[in-house]
Amino acid sequence: METKIWREMLMPYHAAVDELCMKFEHVIDEYKSMNEYSPILSVSGRVKKISSILEKAHKKNVKLEDIEDIIQDIAGIRIICQFVEDIQAVVDIIRNRGDMQIIEERDYIKNSKPSGYRSYHIIINYMLQMVTGPKQIKAEIQIRTLAMNFWGTIEHSLQYKYRSQMPEHITDRLHAAAEAIVMLDKEMSLVRGEIMSAQNYMHHTDRVINEILNNIQNLYGVANKREIDKIQDEFYRLYELSDLNMLERFCDELDLIAEGYRAQSIQEEY
Ligand code: 0O2
């Protein structure tokens, strides 16, 4: 197939990857705006390289005209979670969406691959709206923890280097590392509640401080310098004390002052 034709064929996959990444980013934003823990830590996507598509087509004995039907991971999305428990929460989020239809699930966490690979894979149908009309695109969503991703990324690059001839001592090390990753995920799950509450506390403190700083900045244009200096000194004093309750109270008071000047901040970033 000519490069131009490949480019045309892959164009909708690029669009689908962009849209899907943006939609999962919005999920993260929604949780943050509700001051809630997001089971999704981060999301990334890629369109499979032409050489990898050809390699897979050759391996699976797929004809060129059947590539889009048979190769399900031309569009690939990777969702990273902090804890194993978050993975099922992400699967439920996807299951409940009206814009992605799950057609296949592969649980390589319960049943890890012989290599030691662990990840949860979902194949979806996604309806892309194009100028020429709707086009159904298949995409693979890989959902895994940070630890699983660490192992998978390293092992993938070694696989790339050695192809099917990975030296035995490296395979052994990778199996040992895979076991260590299972233990690491288990250990992290045991302190999940503690970590989540620490992170919520941190995010909430950041929001309060941002709101205070935005209000102070807005007041610069309208209030007199002495008043702003006083507000700023009080903020530094409370900030040094690191007392969230006091900062929250100060934030509310500052909101009222700013409201009086019609200079209230609207929180946009988290
Ligand atoms: P790339 O470079 O990531 O695109 P099948 O042959 O039908 O059993 P298929 O279609 O390969 O399986 O799907 P599977 O097994 O669910 O794997 C899809 C993708 O998962 C792979 O894509 C890898 O990204 C990842 N993966 C699967 N097994 C392993 C593994 O043992 N190690 C690592 N690091 N990743 C794995 P590609 O096309 O292989 O590669």
Side-chain angles (χ1 to χ4, degrees), residues 2-36:
E2 284 175 46
T3 314
K4 183 173 164 286
I5 304 202
W6 270 109
R7 224 178 275 143
E8 272 167 25
M9 187 204 109
L10 294 179
M11 209 273 277
Y13 290 89
H14 283 282
V17 166
D18 287 350
E19 285 185 15
L20 287 165
C21 283
M22 192 189 68
K23 288 183 176 193
F24 287 115
E25 293 285 357
H26 282 175
V27 172
I28 302 177
D29 288 347
E30 258 187 273
Y31 277 106
K32 281 187 181 169
S33 72
M34 294 187 293
N35 255 334
E36 278 183 30

Coordinates of all heavy atoms in Angstrom, one line a residue, residues 2-36:
E2 N 0.5 2.3 -0.8 CA 1.3 3.5 -0.9 C 1.2 4.3 0.5 O 0.1 4.2 1.1 CB 0.7 4.4 -1.9 CG 1.1 4.0 -3.3 CD 0.3 5.0 -4.3 OE1 0.3 6.2 -4.1 OE2 -0.2 4.4 -5.3
T3 N 2.2 5.1 0.7 CA 2.2 5.9 2.0 C 1.0 6.8 2.1 O 0.4 6.9 3.1 CB 3.5 6.7 2.0 OG1 4.6 5.9 1.7 CG2 3.7 7.3 3.4
K4 N 0.6 7.4 0.9 CA -0.5 8.3 0.9 C -1.8 7.6 1.3 O -2.6 8.1 2.1 CB -0.7 8.9 -0.5 CG -1.8 9.9 -0.6 CD -1.7 10.5 -2.0 CE -3.0 11.3 -2.4 NZ -4.2 10.4 -2.6
I5 N -2.0 6.3 0.9 CA -3.2 5.6 1.2 C -3.1 5.2 2.7 O -4.2 5.2 3.4 CB -3.3 4.3 0.3 CG1 -3.3 4.8 -1.2 CG2 -4.5 3.5 0.6 CD1 -3.8 4.0 -2.2
W6 N -2.0 4.8 3.2 CA -1.8 4.5 4.6 C -2.2 5.7 5.4 O -3.0 5.6 6.4 CB -0.4 4.2 4.9 CG 0.0 2.7 4.8 CD1 0.8 2.1 3.9 CD2 -0.5 1.6 5.7 NE1 0.9 0.8 4.1 CE2 0.1 0.5 5.1 CE3 -1.3 1.6 6.8 CZ2 -0.1 -0.8 5.7 CZ3 -1.5 0.3 7.4 CH2 -0.9 -0.8 6.8
R7 N -1.7 6.9 5.0 CA -2.0 8.1 5.7 C -3.5 8.4 5.8 O -4.1 8.7 6.8 CB -1.3 9.3 5.1 CG -0.6 10.1 6.2 CD 0.1 11.3 5.6 NE 1.5 10.9 5.3 CZ 2.2 11.4 4.2 NH1 1.6 12.2 3.4 NH2 3.4 11.1 4.0
E8 N -4.2 8.2 4.6 CA -5.6 8.3 4.6 C -6.3 7.4 5.5 O -7.3 7.7 6.2 CB -6.1 8.2 3.1 CG -6.1 9.4 2.3 CD -6.3 9.2 0.9 OE1 -6.9 8.2 0.5 OE2 -5.8 10.0 0.1
M9 N -5.8 6.1 5.5 CA -6.5 5.1 6.3 C -6.3 5.4 7.8 O -7.2 5.1 8.6 CB -5.9 3.7 5.9 CG -6.6 2.6 6.6 SD -5.5 1.1 6.8 CE -5.2 1.1 8.5
L10 N -5.1 5.9 8.1 CA -4.9 6.1 9.5 C -5.4 7.4 10.1 O -5.5 7.5 11.3 CB -3.3 6.0 9.8 CG -2.7 4.6 9.5 CD1 -1.2 4.7 9.8 CD2 -3.3 3.5 10.4
M11 N -5.8 8.3 9.2 CA -6.3 9.6 9.7 C -7.4 9.5 10.7 O -7.4 10.1 11.8 CB -6.7 10.4 8.5 CG -6.6 11.9 8.6 SD -8.0 12.6 9.4 CE -9.1 12.8 8.0
P12 N -8.5 8.7 10.4 CA -9.6 8.6 11.4 C -9.1 8.0 12.8 O -9.6 8.3 13.8 CB -10.6 7.6 10.8 CG -10.2 7.5 9.4 CD -8.8 7.9 9.2
Y13 N -8.1 7.2 12.7 CA -7.5 6.6 13.9 C -6.8 7.6 14.8 O -7.0 7.6 16.0 CB -6.6 5.4 13.6 CG -7.3 4.2 13.1 CD1 -7.5 4.1 11.7 CD2 -7.8 3.3 13.9 CE1 -8.3 3.0 11.2 CE2 -8.6 2.2 13.4 CZ -8.8 2.1 12.1 OH -9.5 1.0 11.6
H14 N -6.1 8.6 14.1 CA -5.5 9.7 14.9 C -6.6 10.5 15.5 O -6.5 10.9 16.7 CB -4.7 10.6 13.9 CG -3.4 9.9 13.5 ND1 -2.3 10.0 14.4 CD2 -3.0 9.3 12.4 CE1 -1.3 9.4 13.8 NE2 -1.6 8.9 12.7
A15 N -7.7 10.8 14.8 CA -8.8 11.6 15.3 C -9.4 10.9 16.5 O -9.7 11.5 17.5 CB -9.8 11.9 14.2
A16 N -9.6 9.5 16.4 CA -10.3 8.8 17.4 C -9.4 8.8 18.7 O -9.9 9.0 19.8 CB -10.5 7.3 17.0
V17 N -8.1 8.6 18.5 CA -7.1 8.6 19.7 C -7.2 10.0 20.4 O -7.3 10.1 21.6 CB -5.7 8.3 19.2 CG1 -4.7 8.6 20.3 CG2 -5.6 6.8 18.9
D18 N -7.2 11.1 19.6 CA -7.3 12.4 20.2 C -8.6 12.6 21.0 O -8.5 13.1 22.1 CB -7.2 13.5 19.1 CG -5.8 13.6 18.5 OD1 -4.9 13.0 19.0 OD2 -5.7 14.3 17.4
E19 N -9.7 12.2 20.4 CA -11.0 12.4 21.0 C -11.1 11.5 22.3 O -11.5 12.0 23.3 CB -12.1 12.0 20.1 CG -12.4 13.0 19.0 CD -13.6 12.7 18.2 OE1 -14.4 11.9 18.6 OE2 -13.7 13.3 17.1
L20 N -10.6 10.3 22.2 CA -10.7 9.4 23.4 C -9.8 9.9 24.5 O -10.2 9.9 25.7 CB -10.3 8.0 23.0 CG -11.4 7.2 22.1 CD1 -10.8 6.0 21.5 CD2 -12.6 6.9 23.0
C21 N -8.6 10.3 24.2 CA -7.7 10.9 25.2 C -8.4 12.1 25.9 O -8.4 12.2 27.1 CB -6.4 11.3 24.7 SG -5.3 10.0 24.3
M22 N -9.0 12.9 25.1 CA -9.6 14.1 25.6 C -10.8 13.8 26.5 O -11.0 14.3 27.6 CB -10.1 15.0 24.5 CG -10.5 16.4 24.9 SD -11.3 17.2 23.6 CE -12.8 16.3 23.4
K23 N -11.6 12.8 26.1 CA -12.7 12.3 26.9 C -12.3 11.8 28.3 O -12.9 12.1 29.3 CB -13.5 11.3 26.2 CG -14.3 12.0 25.0 CD -15.2 11.0 24.3 CE -16.0 11.8 23.2 NZ -17.1 11.1 22.7
F24 N -11.2 11.0 28.3 CA -10.7 10.5 29.6 C -10.0 11.6 30.4 O -10.1 11.6 31.7 CB -9.8 9.3 29.4 CG -10.5 8.1 28.9 CD1 -10.3 7.5 27.7 CD2 -11.4 7.5 29.7 CE1 -11.0 6.4 27.2 CE2 -12.1 6.3 29.3 CZ -11.9 5.8 28.1
E25 N -9.4 12.6 29.8 CA -8.9 13.7 30.5 C -10.1 14.5 31.2 O -9.9 14.9 32.4 CB -8.2 14.8 29.6 CG -6.9 14.3 28.9 CD -5.7 14.2 29.9 OE1 -5.9 14.6 31.0 OE2 -4.7 13.8 29.4
H26 N -11.2 14.5 30.5 CA -12.4 15.2 31.1 C -12.9 14.4 32.3 O -13.4 15.0 33.3 CB -13.5 15.3 30.1 CG -13.3 16.5 29.1 ND1 -14.1 16.7 28.1 CD2 -12.3 17.4 29.1 CE1 -13.6 17.8 27.4 NE2 -12.5 18.2 28.0
V27 N -12.8 13.1 32.3 CA -13.2 12.3 33.4 C -12.3 12.7 34.6 O -12.9 13.0 35.7 CB -13.0 10.8 33.2 CG1 -13.3 10.0 34.4 CG2 -14.0 10.4 32.1
I28 N -11.0 12.8 34.4 CA -10.1 13.2 35.5 C -10.5 14.6 36.0 O -10.7 14.8 37.2 CB -8.6 13.3 35.0 CG1 -8.2 12.0 34.5 CG2 -7.7 13.8 36.2 CD1 -6.7 11.9 33.9
D29 N -10.8 15.5 35.1 CA -11.2 16.9 35.5 C -12.5 16.9 36.3 O -12.6 17.7 37.3 CB -11.4 17.8 34.2 CG -10.0 18.1 33.6 OD1 -9.0 17.9 34.2 OD2 -10.0 18.6 32.5
E30 N -13.4 16.1 35.9 CA -14.7 16.0 36.6 C -14.5 15.6 38.0 O -15.1 16.2 38.9 CB -15.6 15.0 35.9 CG -16.7 15.6 35.0 CD -17.7 14.6 34.5 OE1 -17.4 14.0 33.5 OE2 -18.7 14.4 35.2
Y31 N -13.7 14.5 38.2 CA -13.5 14.1 39.6 C -12.8 15.2 40.4 O -13.2 15.5 41.6 CB -12.6 12.8 39.6 CG -13.3 11.6 39.4 CD1 -13.3 10.9 38.2 CD2 -14.1 11.0 40.4 CE1 -14.0 9.7 38.0 CE2 -14.8 9.9 40.2 CZ -14.8 9.2 39.0 OH -15.5 8.1 38.8
K32 N -11.8 15.9 39.8 CA -11.1 17.0 40.5 C -12.1 18.1 40.9 O -12.0 18.6 42.0 CB -10.0 17.5 39.7 CG -8.8 16.6 39.7 CD -7.6 17.2 39.0 CE -6.4 16.4 39.0 NZ -5.3 16.8 38.2
S33 N -13.0 18.4 40.0 CA -13.9 19.5 40.2 C -14.9 19.2 41.3 O -15.4 20.0 42.0 CB -14.6 20.0 39.0 OG -15.5 19.1 38.6
M34 N -15.1 17.9 41.5 CA -16.0 17.4 42.6 C -15.2 17.2 43.9 O -15.8 16.7 44.9 CB -16.7 16.1 42.2 CG -17.7 16.3 41.0 SD -18.7 14.8 40.8 CE -17.4 13.6 40.2
N35 N -13.9 17.5 43.8 CA -13.0 17.2 45.0 C -13.0 15.8 45.4 O -13.0 15.4 46.5 CB -13.5 18.0 46.2 CG -12.6 19.2 46.5 OD1 -11.4 19.1 46.1 ND2 -13.1 20.2 47.1
E36 N -13.1 14.9 44.3 CA -13.1 13.5 44.6 C -11.9 12.8 44.0 O -11.3 13.3 43.0 CB -14.3 12.8 44.0 CG -15.5 13.0 44.9 CD -16.8 12.3 44.4 OE1 -16.6 11.3 43.6 OE2 -17.9 12.8 44.7

